[in-house]
Amino acid sequence: MSPDPTQRTLTTAGLRLSTLATGASVTSCEVEDADGGWTEVVLGHRDLRSYARGGYLGATIGRVGNRIAGGSFELDGTAYDLTVNDRGDTLHGGAAGFDLQEWRLVEEGPAHVTWGLVSPDGDHASRARSRSRSR
């Protein structure tokens, strides 16, 4: 995580949503109640730096979502070994999944933020470059 994490907050009538470049994560979502107070409705870390340590709270998951048993697979007769990060398995992209990457701000407007990430060929044993967006 950079020393000054990139965060964007959107505010609309009755809603405040904060996102973070680390993992293209949703860090906060507050909704306005009938009395004009605000209630947090997202489970997240206590501070922004904690997102760099993982835990998947609010994060964009990838390159793979879910678990790859044993941290390896075979495709078209070729075996691929992945990093393992959960009891001998690969969970949500492994030790350096999308949730830990610094996404770049692609676009923002009054009611949206778009984060982008390029995952190069070979990343997470992939056979192609991937361009991902989270909006």
Side-chain angles (χ1 to χ4, degrees):
M1 174 178 272
S2 65
D4 296 311
T6 303
Q7 184 176 31
R8 291 294 187 267
T9 299
L10 302 172
T11 303
T12 63
L15 178 76
R16 288 192 297 228
L17 178 74
S18 295
T19 63
L20 181 66
T22 305
S25 300
V26 172
T27 59
S28 175
C29 183
E30 296 175 293
V31 293
E32 190 173 15
D33 63 28
D35 297 323
W38 293 88
T39 301
E40 178 64 59
V41 296
V42 167
L43 179 62
H45 294 289
R46 291 180 190 264
D47 62 90
L48 295 183
R49 294 221 165 275
S50 295
Y51 286 87
R53 292 191 288 275
Y56 310 113
L57 293 177
T60 302
I61 302 301
R63 202 173 236 218
V64 175
N66 208 340
R67 186 176 318 279
I68 297 177
S72 65
F73 65 95
E74 187 176 312
L75 179 64
D76 295 334
T78 302
Y80 294 89
D81 292 318
L82 307 170
T83 61
V84 294
N85 62 329
D86 185 63
R87 297 171 291 192
D89 298 329
T90 301
L91 180 64
H92 299 326
F98 286 6
D99 61 301
L100 297 174
Q101 303 303 311
E102 291 298 313
W103 292 57
R104 72 179 174 83
L105 183 63
V106 174
E107 179 184 29
E108 65 182 312
H112 76 278
V113 173
T114 303
W115 299 101
L117 180 70
V118 175
S119 177
D121 182 13
D123 189 27
H124 296 82
S126 66
R127 296 174 61 178
R129 178 177 174 230
S130 167
R131 287 181 288 163
S132 300
R133 302 284 166 120
S134 179
R135 183 173 180 169

